[in-house]
Amino acid sequence: MASLPTERQRQIASFLRSESRERGIAPTQREIAERFGFASLNSVRSHLRLMEKKGMLNRLPGKARGLELKKRPVIGIPLVGRIAAGHPRLASEDEGEIVPVSPDLFPGSDLFALRVKGESMKDDGILPGDIAVMARQNDVAEGEIAAVLLDDEATLKHIYRPRGKVVLRGANPAFPDIVIRDGQSGSVRILGKYVGLIRTQGAAR
């Protein structure tokens, strides 16, 4: 799961960038603590550790000013609407928003994103407010998670194909399976395969 930087982490990155540009050196951890009012260096180290994990910077061991922001290529994934992880709901065709990500985070070249509503996939760690990243394709393997269009409504579910029917199954026992029997399967269209998740600050925990 990819995790977006918090507002504070973006502020720290901006401070690192401006200090390095204006002074020619990165700030120390103590200078970062003073700039943002952290009570201890442990808070600074925690932020820097998470920023390193998110691919925002390199920490050079043994150097007081050993902080180096990474210059990483970015691609934009179109956010095309909302998808229900619960009962099917209509996903809008185009919200006009682009989600910037590193190109090595998600496999596939034809990607799109949908914002999750509902809790039927919560046991798979997919929560309301999350951004589900999808690879555009019209079929998936048995049991994989897909964005599915069902009678003009979109939902995010595991797909199973027992004999004579299609079953859309969530990851929350409170939500029953959606069963499409023979003769109705033409109303089901796979929009894409789920390949990963971006969790924003506003997502449910």
Side-chain angles (χ1 to χ4, degrees), residues 69-86:
L69 286 176
K70 283 187 177 181
K71 295 180 179 179
R72 304 182 71 189
V74 172
I75 61 171
I77 300 177
L79 182 65
V80 300
R82 294 179 179 270
I83 191 162

Side-chain angles (χ1 to χ4, degrees), residues 143-157:
E144 288 188 320
I145 300 173
V148 181
L149 196 64
L150 176 62
D151 292 329
D152 296 326
E153 295 184 323
T155 190
L156 190 68
K157 293 288 188 292

Side-chain angles (χ1 to χ4, degrees), residues 88-205:
R89 294 180 185 173
L90 187 65
S92 65
E93 285 298 316
D94 185 9
E95 288 197 351
E97 185 177 342
I98 298 295
V99 181
V101 298
S102 170
D104 58 358
L105 285 178
F106 303 106
S109 56
D110 190 4
L111 302 175
F112 65 98
L114 293 160
R115 196 176 299 278
V116 176
K117 296 183 70 175
E119 296 188 339
S120 79
M121 298 298 289
K122 73 172 188 176
D123 290 351
D124 281 339
I126 302 173
L127 305 177
D130 286 343
I131 296 173
V133 179
M134 317 298 300
R136 199 180 301 274
Q137 58 189 65
N138 58 16
D139 198 12
V140 296
E142 188 81 356
E144 288 188 320
I145 300 173
V148 181
L149 196 64
L150 176 62
D151 292 329
D152 296 326
E153 295 184 323
T155 190
L156 190 68
K157 293 288 188 292
H158 291 275
I159 293 188
Y160 298 93
R161 300 177 182 87
R163 189 172 181 178
K165 55 189 174 183
V166 175
V167 177
L168 307 181
R169 181 169 297 159
N172 181 343
F175 290 79
D177 291 349
I178 299 172
V179 180
I180 301 99
R181 303 190 181 279
D182 262 354
Q184 300 175 311
S185 58
S187 63
V188 178
R189 181 162 66 92
I190 295 173
L191 302 175
K193 173 185 172 180
Y194 171 80
V195 295
L197 189 69
I198 297 170
R199 177 153 297 154
T200 61
Q201 278 186 282
R205 298 287 178 184

Side-chain angles (χ1 to χ4, degrees), residues 10-50:
R10 285 193 290 267
Q11 291 171 352
I12 293 172
S14 178
F15 180 59
L16 288 173
R17 189 176 295 109
S18 63
E19 288 290 290
S20 298
R21 183 174 57 246
E22 293 172 11
R23 299 170 57 195
I25 54 174
T28 64
Q29 293 184 14
R30 187 166 300 281
E31 288 170 340
I32 295 172
E34 291 172 354
R35 170 65 177 79
F36 294 101
F38 293 128
S40 73
L41 294 183
N42 285 336
S43 297
V44 177
R45 294 184 186 116
S46 176
H47 278 293
L48 295 177
R49 185 166 55 250
L50 289 171

